[in-house]
Amino acid sequence: MNFSVKPQPVSTRDAVYLTLREQILLCELAPGTAISEKEISLKFGVSRTPVRESFVRLAQEGLLEVYPQRGTFVSLIDPELVEEARFMREQLEKAVIRLACESFPDDRLAELDTNLAEQNACIVQQDYRKMFELDEAFHRTLFEGCRKSNTWAAMQQINAHLNRSRMLRLAADHHWDHLYLQHLHMAEAIRERDADRAERLMKEHMSLTIQDQALLKQKFPTYFK
């Protein structure tokens, strides 16, 4: 596993935090993994202060759990938090895609088309990390095109457990055609200004997380609470 800090135009503290957060969200640091300030500071080549501060931020986000006398661990995925984030995201995503059907900039539609082409290529490449990034970018473009970037940013604050679950799902099953087709049909509905169809497609898309939980708990039983 590569623990090197990626170059960032930010402070050492933020670079450590962002790198650790990414590794947790990508499940490179698997749920339940024990980590220590000393270990991370040595592997990152930084002092323990930015590592300690990063641990505090990650614990506040629910991604690390600190147990006195036992140590610090990557938090297990909490199904209740997954469902709560999914519920909130479904409500906001349905509302936004209805707005997109009323008015959506042509340049943002072009972004969706480019994204879809890359998703299609990703299915061939079987790159689950890239597929996750493209999935996120597709939905973020919907919010940005409807001038709801702050809503998207606020939504990310409770998405950590949901995103880890989604990442595991992509890694566990590389049959992503249905995801691509759902996104494709959403873009079609926006072009056709068919808000009812778009909302229905989005609800079906968001419900996949519910269906996936049983599979993931069976395949990764030690990753969940």
Side-chain angles (χ1 to χ4, degrees):
M1 184 183 298
N2 181 12
F3 279 88
S4 61
V5 178
K6 296 181 178 180
Q8 298 277 353
V10 293
S11 66
T12 299
R13 176 193 61 195
D14 288 343
V16 171
Y17 161 75
L18 290 169
T19 303
L20 280 174
R21 190 175 191 277
E22 179 183 44
Q23 291 181 347
I24 293 172
L25 292 179
L26 291 175
C27 294
E28 291 177 359
L29 283 172
T33 300
I35 61 175
S36 69
E37 290 179 11
K38 180 179 179 181
E39 170 197 9
I40 298 300
S41 64
L42 289 173
K43 290 183 176 178
F44 282 2
V46 299
S47 70
R48 295 178 72 164
T49 298
V51 176
R52 183 178 304 114
E53 293 171 345
S54 298
F55 276 22
V56 170
R57 290 176 68 181
L58 292 166
Q60 289 172 342
E61 292 181 31
L63 293 176
L64 290 182
E65 293 182 351
V66 181
Y67 298 99
Q69 313 304 321
R70 286 181 53 198
T72 300
F73 300 82
V74 176
S75 67
L76 298 177
I77 299 174
D78 187 333
E80 289 189 8
L81 294 178
V82 170
E83 169 53 24
E84 185 172 357
R86 185 211 63 79
F87 172 80
M88 183 183 77
R89 182 162 181 171
E90 178 184 317
Q91 309 314 309
L92 293 173
E93 295 267 11
K94 288 192 303 183
V96 161
I97 204 167
R98 290 195 74 92
L99 287 176
C101 289
E102 295 175 8
S103 176
F104 201 70
D106 289 341
D107 61 331
R108 294 296 188 176
L109 271 173
E111 285 184 37
L112 294 183
D113 290 339
T114 299
N115 181 288
L116 287 165
E118 292 179 0
Q119 284 188 43
N120 202 22
C122 200
I123 291 173
V124 177
Q125 297 162 359
Q126 294 288 283
D127 186 340
Y128 70 91
R129 294 180 186 175
K130 181 65 174 177
M131 191 65 178
F132 177 84
E133 292 172 3
L134 290 169
D135 190 342
E136 283 289 277
F138 182 93
H139 291 270
R140 184 173 62 249
T141 299
L142 296 180
F143 280 76
E144 291 173 349
C146 294
R147 302 177 68 180
K148 295 291 182 288
S149 296
N150 288 330
T151 304
W152 173 266
M155 189 169 64
Q156 301 313 303
Q157 299 304 308
I158 72 164
N159 267 353
H161 287 258
L162 172 62
N163 284 344
R164 284 196 291 171
S165 176
R166 291 170 56 213
M167 181 66 70
L168 282 178
R169 182 65 176 89
L170 291 173
D173 182 357
H174 286 203
H175 295 90
W176 306 327
D177 301 74
H178 63 296
L179 296 175
Y180 164 75
L181 288 173
Q182 285 181 333
H183 288 143
L184 177 66
H185 294 154
M186 287 180 207
E188 290 174 351
I190 292 171
R191 273 198 174 84
E192 296 166 2
R193 297 178 179 263
D194 189 340
D196 290 340
R197 181 187 180 214
E199 181 179 350
R200 183 176 67 254
L201 287 165
M202 184 63 77
K203 183 174 182 179
E204 292 172 359
H205 187 63
M206 290 294 112
S207 71
L208 291 176
T209 301
I210 300 174
Q211 301 168 23
D212 292 342
Q213 291 308 293
L215 168 70
L216 293 177
K217 289 177 185 177
Q218 182 179 8
K219 192 171 183 66
F220 305 100
T222 61
Y223 284 9
F224 288 83
K225 282 189 175 180

